[in-house]
Amino acid sequence: MTARDVESGPGGGPARGSKGRHAGPASGPFLAPARADGAEPAGGTGAPRGRRPSRVARLPGQLRAVISASPLGCLAGLILVGVAVFCFGGPLVYHPDLVHVHLALGNLSPRAGHLLGTDPDGLDELGLLMAGGQISLEVGVAAGVLAAVLGSLWGAVAGYLGGAADAIMMRVVDAGIAIPTLVLLLLVVSVFRPTTWVLMLAIAATSWLGTARLVRAEALTLRTRDYVQAVRAMGGTGSRVVLRHIAPNALGTITVNVSFQIANAILVLATLSFLNLGVQSPGSDWGDMIASGMQEIYNGYWWQIVPAGVAICLVVVAFTMLGDALRDRIGADD
């Protein structure tokens, strides 16, 4: 019997244990042995492992992790949700008359019919607090997000281009930072009637400068990464590099900055309203409530100032704590 007969087996078929072409699966350096439980072997023909999710995909999970794991993040989230429900859901169940003046009910202390008392015109302070919170939150959130978007695009483009374009764009930012923000806002609201939209745009137009500097610093490091160089080598346009690769990878810095921008916008709006340059009548925000109550503070009518002041402090501190918690979480993940 020859060696060929041994390999072929009786009748010319493959022998038992043979490693011929018709033999069963075998183990080797390029083929992992099958597992007894039927699971796919590592390195086998199964689906490839997924890549690490991008920062955009990880952001909702990071936000949930911050709120659930961080005590400060959890407290900040509860405060913001509670304030939002109070301002936007409260008028659905508590709707006092905030249009007609009732002088006979002016300056009433907190009592059963008016839980936070009344102002000099007899308007319910609790109702005014809800209505003023709607305007304060709407202007603050819209201005903060818009400022973050404008600053992010400006900084990402400047950092990506570099050279003379970067120098010119950042000198514009430095010139804007050199001018006091309050002076610019006073100039804008003195030229245009301070409606809600005008205040949103004015606050955003004076608040994006700091975001631009932060994102530009991120873009200067991201532009040298291998994946950015690969996109450029394959003919990718500058807009694609900025919008698809640089800006998303700077999302951690942008997200943290958004929370601080919203807190700053609420404070700026309250400052303008305190100077009687905020939302005009019949609208009112928390800063306007404080300005109106200051005229009666020496008469002991504390309820006309304290609720609005406490609301501003709570919201600003909550957004600041949320930004700190996000920054710690994103930095730990990176």
Side-chain angles (χ1 to χ4, degrees):
M1 181 180 294
T2 63
R4 185 172 183 175
D5 295 331
V6 173
E7 291 180 358
S8 61
R16 183 176 301 175
S18 171
K19 297 182 181 179
R21 184 174 57 182
H22 300 287
S27 60
F30 302 103
L31 187 61
R35 292 176 54 178
D37 58 359
E40 187 67 28
T45 58
R49 293 181 180 179
R51 295 179 298 176
R52 186 185 183 187
S54 63
R55 295 193 180 188
V56 179
R58 302 202 316 263
L59 186 60
Q62 290 173 336
L63 184 58
R64 290 193 299 268
V66 166
I67 295 178
S68 61
S70 172
L72 289 179
C74 182
L75 180 59
L78 291 176
I79 291 175
L80 293 177
V81 171
V83 172
V85 171
F86 169 77
C87 294
F88 294 94
L92 299 178
V93 296
Y94 185 81
H95 35 79
D97 185 7
L98 301 178
V99 178
H100 302 93
V101 176
H102 304 279
L103 295 179
L105 302 177
N107 297 324
L108 293 179
S109 61
R111 57 191 64 192
H114 304 280
L115 299 179
L116 293 180
T118 62
D119 69 350
D121 295 327
L123 302 180
D124 186 79
E125 284 287 333
L126 182 58
L128 291 175
L129 191 67
M130 296 177 182
Q134 294 179 10
I135 296 178
S136 296
L137 292 178
E138 289 172 357
V139 174
V141 172
V145 172
L146 183 58
V149 171
L150 293 176
S152 300
L153 292 177
W154 188 277
V157 171
Y160 170 72
L161 295 177
D166 177 33
I168 295 174
M169 294 177 70
M170 296 314 296
R171 295 298 79 74
V172 173
V173 173
D174 294 339
I177 293 177
I179 303 175
T181 302
L182 187 58
V183 173
L184 291 176
L185 289 173
L186 291 176
L187 177 63
V188 171
V189 298
S190 63
V191 175
F192 303 98
R193 186 175 183 271
T195 61
T196 302
W197 285 101
V198 169
L199 289 172
M200 289 180 186
L201 296 177
I203 295 174
T206 56
S207 303
W208 63 272
L209 304 171
T211 306
R213 299 185 70 174
L214 292 175
V215 177
R216 182 246 183 186
E218 289 276 346
L220 287 176
T221 59
L222 293 173
R223 60 177 293 193
T224 60
R225 299 293 178 86
D226 292 338
Y227 57 85
V228 175
Q229 299 298 327
V231 173
R232 297 176 64 179
M234 289 186 295
T237 61
S239 60
R240 180 180 179 84
V241 173
V242 170
L243 297 177
R244 297 292 300 276
H245 299 281
I246 293 181
N249 282 282
L251 194 61
T253 301
I254 297 171
T255 304
V256 174
N257 188 258
V258 165
S259 61
F260 296 138
Q261 290 284 8
I262 295 175
N264 179 70
I266 293 175
L267 284 177
V268 170
L269 177 64
T271 302
L272 291 175
S273 298
F274 186 80
L275 298 175
N276 200 24
L277 294 174
V279 179
Q280 300 299 305
S281 181
S284 175
D285 62 276
W286 288 335
D288 186 64
M289 293 178 63
I290 295 177
S292 300
M294 285 296 295
Q295 302 175 5
E296 306 290 340
I297 186 62
Y298 296 108
N299 295 326
Y301 303 146
W302 56 267
W303 56 88
Q304 298 180 11
I305 295 179
V306 172
V310 170
I312 293 175
C313 292
L314 278 177
V315 173
V316 171
V317 171
F319 274 113
T320 304
M321 291 192 303
L322 183 61
D324 289 336
L326 276 173
R327 179 176 55 194
D328 296 340
R329 178 68 184 187
I330 293 174
D333 287 350
D334 291 340

